[in-house]
Amino acid sequence: MAATVRGKLVPLGGGDEIPLVRERLVIGRRDSCDICLKYPNVSAMHAELTYKDGYWFVKDLNSTNGTKVNGQRIIGQKLLRPGDELEIAKRKFRIHYEIAAGRRALEEFEEEEIFSQSLLERAGLSRSSLDEEEFWEEDEPEQKKPRRDLADFESW
């Protein structure tokens, strides 16, 4: 039985097309990855492509050199539209596939994607929960100082 091809990654700058034949594909340097990229700047398990409801998504797997979509580094999961440029540690690909779902479904994914992260997370400025615990941890509770009004200083 032949595998269903749900799209393809086309390397920019030449090379063989990579057929996207499964709903979940791991990209990385390891031989066990579905898409193996034998380059030193590609992490062992770099990124994951997922096919859901007729759309491809990419998720960075905490790689060292990052994953970009159309030149923008991603944090978390990102929707890939047909023709988007996917960059895996300086290796660029263009994704090609036919959209199976309607336009309304795409708008719902975009809205879900926007609200899935805080503004600080989207800007790359959030702290991990461990950092937050250490940052807010205090030995003694803060003591309130009495407020002084301008009238208190008139007696000088």
Side-chain angles (χ1 to χ4, degrees), residues 5-126:
V5 177
R6 294 182 172 89
K8 61 186 174 182
L9 286 179
V10 179
L12 300 180
D16 295 334
E17 296 178 350
I18 302 168
L20 305 175
V21 295
R22 298 193 358 223
E23 291 186 359
R24 181 183 173 274
L25 298 162
V26 176
I27 302 170
R29 196 177 63 243
R30 285 188 184 164
D31 290 329
S32 61
C33 290
D34 301 301
I35 300 172
C36 185
L37 301 175
K38 291 285 188 180
Y39 300 102
N41 62 343
V42 174
S43 294
M45 295 182 70
H46 197 101
E48 177 182 71
L49 291 173
T50 309
Y51 188 75
K52 179 180 173 189
D53 298 325
Y55 295 95
W56 280 102
F57 294 85
V58 63
K59 179 181 179 182
D60 186 78
L61 299 176
N62 297 318
S63 65
T64 302
N65 292 311
T67 302
K68 294 180 181 180
V69 174
N70 298 325
Q72 299 292 316
R73 189 169 183 151
I74 64 167
I75 299 171
Q77 184 170 282
K78 173 82 174 149
L79 170 68
L80 291 171
R81 292 180 181 83
D84 278 352
E85 184 180 290
L86 176 63
E87 187 175 335
I88 306 290
K90 305 293 183 193
R91 307 291 171 204
K92 295 181 181 182
F93 301 88
R94 184 143 338 262
I95 187 164
H96 294 281
Y97 71 97
E98 296 292 323
I99 296 176
R103 184 171 174 84
R104 180 172 170 80
L106 177 61
E107 291 168 356
E108 289 172 6
F109 281 130
E110 288 173 340
E111 185 174 308
E112 181 180 307
E113 185 177 295
I114 289 170
F115 293 112
S116 68
Q117 296 177 319
S118 72
L119 290 174
L120 289 174
E121 287 173 324
R122 292 186 68 187
L125 299 173
S126 68

Side-chain angles (χ1 to χ4, degrees), residues 131-146:
D131 289 344
E132 288 178 12
E133 288 173 11
E134 290 174 5
F135 182 76
W136 292 110
E137 191 176 285
E138 295 179 9
D139 295 334
E140 299 175 9
E142 186 179 330
Q143 296 179 0
K144 293 208 172 210
K145 296 179 181 176

